[in-house]
Amino acid sequence: MENFFGRFLTKNECDSSLKFNEIPGMTVISADKIRCNRCGEISQKSDVALPIGSFYCPACITLGRVRSDEKLYFLPQKDFASLKALRWQGTLTPYQHAISEQLVESFRKKINSLVHAVTGAGKTEMTYAVIDACLRDGGAVALVSPRIDVVTELHSRLSRDFTLKIPCLHGHGEPYFRSPLVIATTHQLLRFKAAFDLIIIDEVDAFPFVDNPVLYHAVENAKKPAGALIYLTATSTDALNRQIKSGSLQELHLARRFHGQPLVTPRTIWQTHFLSALTRQRLTDFPLLIFAPTLDAGEKLLHQLTEKFPHEKIAAVSSQTENRLQLVEDFRQNKLTILISTTILERGVTFPRVDVFVFNSEHINFTKSALIQIAGRAGRAPERPTGLVYFFHYGRNKAINSAISDIRQMNTLGGFHP
């Protein structure tokens, strides 16, 4: 029964011996449209009709089918006991500490916040105090991200820095168990109803969360009516900027990395110099992270580099790679010397001492936001706060120019001069 509190359940997930609150699975909103009461998606009846005369929601079907002739079930969230779980012994910089204190104050006042900080600013550690405050109040916290790779890294870090056992929820994760601190993909919030006093959304500008009404609905539905939200990002979104302008969202800025060094400014290089630059880079002992614009491009590059550099340990990952998490960890542990990736690793992962190459950086898949995030993979560790960031291209475009301009501007705001 414990695992049912604050959860949204379909008929097949319920324990028939328990008394649940219930609502219709779907609501008819017009003669030809119907809305799912779990994810909020509105569908044309003609598109989602079942042979038995009822309807279903295709938008959240991977979480279990919601039907118009069935109910959704839930038990109201139950408070947790006060918990002192923070064991992190690190220290924050004065800049980080100021934002950390503001987040705690805003949480107490139920003010929603956006932490707009450069890549490598230490956004996660800045949330520890507010997570601790919520847990001490007997509340529940969800720390979520759109990307599985980010979720797994967050789970590893918070499992180290907090004493409690934390569920890690994603499509390939372990089964849910009740805990006052949950780490999950944003899609998993669709399984909760009025469950969390505090929801922290990391990498809020990442696909598939960015400007996605279903996932924004999931956040609001999973938050308690009196709960608070914290958004974390290095590159804000139009939707969040509108909230800031309207006064419904507080913006907190941090333009310095936690180790006090500037962001690495990318260098642009003509694509034909890629192999010669790679050969020079391999004369060092620094690991190399290469971003390819597509899965096919990454696979072709893997084949090419494996032939030309037979002594290197090389792998490629994408959203389709079954053992992606293991390969990423192998790269982090220096079991791989070169890792080729699609934009799946553009954010939320840290590899100490790494250099970063972007192959065909003018490709449409490399947006300004993606290029800023990719450049932010370099120089994240205090033992090597610098590194190489090379954008290889067959012609600089607006995304490349804007990304470099924004990085320079962020360095200027952080007190660094060209």
Side-chain angles (χ1 to χ4, degrees):
M1 181 174 178
E2 279 288 304
N3 289 345
F4 293 141
F5 290 113
R7 297 276 280 173
F8 239 156
L9 305 168
T10 62
K11 181 180 179 181
N12 293 334
E13 296 170 319
C14 286
D15 183 337
S16 59
S17 66
L18 300 175
K19 178 66 175 178
F20 287 88
N21 293 352
E22 58 184 54
I23 62 171
M26 305 183 80
T27 298
V28 174
I29 58 173
S30 69
D32 59 348
K33 293 182 180 179
I34 192 165
R35 181 181 61 234
C36 173
N37 288 328
R38 179 169 66 186
C39 73
E41 182 75 355
I42 296 174
S43 301
Q44 292 285 335
K45 285 184 178 180
S46 58
D47 293 336
V48 298
L50 294 168
I52 58 174
S54 60
F55 306 91
Y56 78 100
C57 178
C60 59
I61 196 169
T62 57
L63 303 180
R65 188 165 66 173
V66 175
R67 287 171 35 175
S68 61
D69 60 338
E70 294 181 347
K71 304 289 186 182
L72 283 169
Y73 303 87
F74 65 95
L75 290 177
Q77 179 66 292
K78 186 172 68 171
D79 288 342
F80 290 88
S82 175
L83 181 64
K84 298 178 181 179
L86 180 62
R87 62 182 168 198
W88 185 63
Q89 297 297 311
T91 57
L92 299 176
T93 69
Y95 301 100
Q96 290 175 313
H97 184 69
I99 289 181
S100 176
E101 286 191 324
Q102 285 179 285
L103 290 177
V104 174
E105 181 181 352
S106 297
F107 168 68
R108 296 289 187 210
K109 296 178 179 178
K110 305 307 177 188
I111 297 172
N112 295 337
S113 301
L114 167 69
V115 177
H116 192 172
V118 298
T119 56
K123 292 186 288 292
T124 303
E125 288 77 10
M126 286 187 283
T127 66
Y128 281 2
V130 71
I131 293 172
D132 183 51
C134 187
L135 296 179
R136 286 171 182 262
D137 288 350
V141 183
L143 175 55
V144 301
S145 171
R147 299 287 180 85
I148 291 178
D149 301 88
V150 177
V151 166
T152 56
E153 177 147 326
L154 287 171
H155 184 259
S156 175
R157 291 166 67 180
L158 270 78
S159 294
R160 176 194 65 206
D161 294 337
F162 287 80
T163 59
L164 75 169
K165 189 176 181 183
I166 307 169
C168 183
L169 307 180
H170 54 78
H172 306 289
E174 299 297 321
Y176 169 76
F177 57 87
R178 181 169 161 80
S179 170
L181 176 57
V182 171
I183 297 177
T185 57
T186 47
H187 272 93
Q188 291 293 322
L189 289 181
L190 289 167
R191 294 186 180 275
F192 293 89
K193 180 172 176 60
F196 299 106
D197 301 272
L198 173 64
I199 298 179
I200 303 170
I201 307 121
D202 194 12
E203 307 294 354
V204 70
D205 60 308
F207 177 86
F209 187 82
V210 59
D211 298 333
N212 185 321
V214 167
L215 295 181
Y216 271 92
H217 172 90
V219 169
E220 285 298 328
N221 211 39
K223 180 176 67 69
K224 290 182 180 179
L229 298 174
I230 297 174
Y231 300 99
L232 308 176
T233 187
T235 49
S236 191
T237 70
D238 291 341
L240 293 175
N241 290 339
R242 286 193 293 270
Q243 291 185 52
I244 293 167
K245 190 173 182 179
S246 70
S248 62
L249 185 64
Q250 168 188 246
E251 185 176 24
L252 306 175
H253 275 283
L254 181 54
R256 274 180 172 260
R257 287 185 148 180
F258 76 96
H259 50 55
Q261 298 300 310
L263 298 166
V264 179
T265 302
R267 176 185 171 190
T268 57
I269 302 176
W270 198 254
Q271 183 68 45
T272 52
H273 298 296
F274 177 78
L275 287 178
S276 60
L278 196 153
T279 301
R280 288 193 301 273
Q281 193 278 338
R282 294 318 304 145
L283 296 175
T284 72
D285 65 346
F286 298 128
L288 177 61
L289 180 60
I290 302 175
F291 285 89
T294 64
L295 188 156
D296 287 344
E299 291 296 329
K300 290 177 182 177
L301 191 56
L302 174 64
H303 179 73
Q304 181 184 12
L305 297 187
T306 301
E307 283 191 344
K308 289 187 176 293
F309 300 90
H311 301 298
E312 301 289 347
K313 298 173 182 177
I314 311 173
V317 295
S318 72
S319 60
Q320 306 301 313
T321 307
E322 291 185 3
N323 62 334
R324 178 174 87 244
L325 300 181
Q326 184 58 56
L327 291 174
V328 169
E329 186 58 28
D330 287 347
F331 184 62
R332 186 176 285 116
Q333 298 297 327
N334 297 317
K335 296 176 183 178
L336 296 171
T337 55
I338 300 175
L339 184 64
I340 302 165
S341 175
T342 59
T343 55
I344 195 72
L345 294 184
E346 74 181 33
R347 62 183 72 227
V349 291
T350 297
F351 304 110
R353 305 169 66 245
V354 74
D355 288 327
V356 177
F357 286 6
V358 184
F359 189 83
N360 285 144
S361 60
E362 79 284 0
H363 193 281
I364 192 172
N365 286 351
F366 292 125
T367 62
K368 180 188 81 167
S369 174
L371 290 172
I372 290 173
Q373 292 284 358
I374 286 169
R377 297 314 96 202
R380 297 175 70 87
E383 59 264 34
R384 193 189 183 214
T386 58
L388 304 178
V389 178
Y390 290 170
F391 289 174
F392 295 91
H393 64 90
Y394 281 116
R396 290 175 57 151
N397 60 9
K398 183 178 179 181
I400 293 172
N401 293 334
S402 296
I404 294 172
S405 175
D406 281 15
I407 289 169
R408 286 174 173 157
Q409 183 179 15
M410 285 186 277
N411 280 337
T412 299
L413 290 172
F416 303 102
H417 301 287

